Amino acid sequence: MEQKALSLDEGKFRQLYEAACAVARNSYSPYSHFPVGAALLMEDGSIITGANIENRSFGLTNCAERSAIFTAMSAGHRSFVALVIVTPASDYPVGPCGACRQVLTEFAPAQTPVWFGPSWDRMVRTTLGELYPYDSLHELASSL
């Protein structure tokens, strides 16, 4: 899975952060009262967002990260180059759940930057590989 070189300065991450904050306001979270917004930077420079959408049957809930990925894939994008996740109601940075980590690694390499947190000044700056270090999908792909 190749990733095009793209200049990712702090200004671009600020743009992603603002987009994630805006979409978090569209969250449907009447049960957890925990809105989440995610913003993906695509290879072509476009930004795709997603919010968490809950359901009273909690297993049918969709996280913001997967909402963004599914929207991007539906629009014809097949990989992304950065991700910012905002959890404005949290007291501390909350990273992606295990299911989201698995889905994210389907569409981006380990060096992809991932920032997450409740506010700009409390962002954790990491990579997909650090979030999901033993990714068997990429291990299998490299052996084919």
Side-chain angles (χ1 to χ4, degrees), residues 24 26-36 52-54:
N26 296 332
S27 165
Y28 180 74
S29 47
Y31 306 103
S32 70
H33 306 287
F34 193 80
V36 181
N52 59 319
I53 308 299
E54 294 180 352

Side-chain angles (χ1 to χ4, degrees), residues 7 19 23 28-29 48 54 63 66 73-74 79 83 91 103-104 111 132 134 138:
S7 176
V23 77
Y28 180 74
S29 47
I48 306 285
E54 294 180 352
C63 297
R66 284 181 284 142
M73 297 304 116
S74 296
S79 63
L83 168 64
D91 294 331
V103 171
L104 291 167
Q111 69 270 19
Y132 196 49
Y134 299 103
H138 290 132

Side-chain angles (χ1 to χ4, degrees), residues 44-110:
D44 66 1
S46 61
I47 295 173
I48 306 285
T49 60
N52 59 319
I53 308 299
E54 294 180 352
N55 188 278
R56 65 184 167 270
S57 175
F58 219 66
L60 301 178
T61 292
N62 202 48
C63 297
E65 300 91 315
R66 284 181 284 142
S67 291
I69 286 284
F70 299 158
T71 298
M73 297 304 116
S74 296
H77 298 281
R78 292 294 176 256
S79 63
F80 64 95
V81 297
L83 168 64
V84 171
I85 305 158
V86 176
T87 54
S90 66
D91 294 331
Y92 56 90
V94 177
C97 73
C100 286
R101 292 173 196 218
Q102 179 73 46
V103 171
L104 291 167
T105 64
E106 182 79 18
F107 302 104

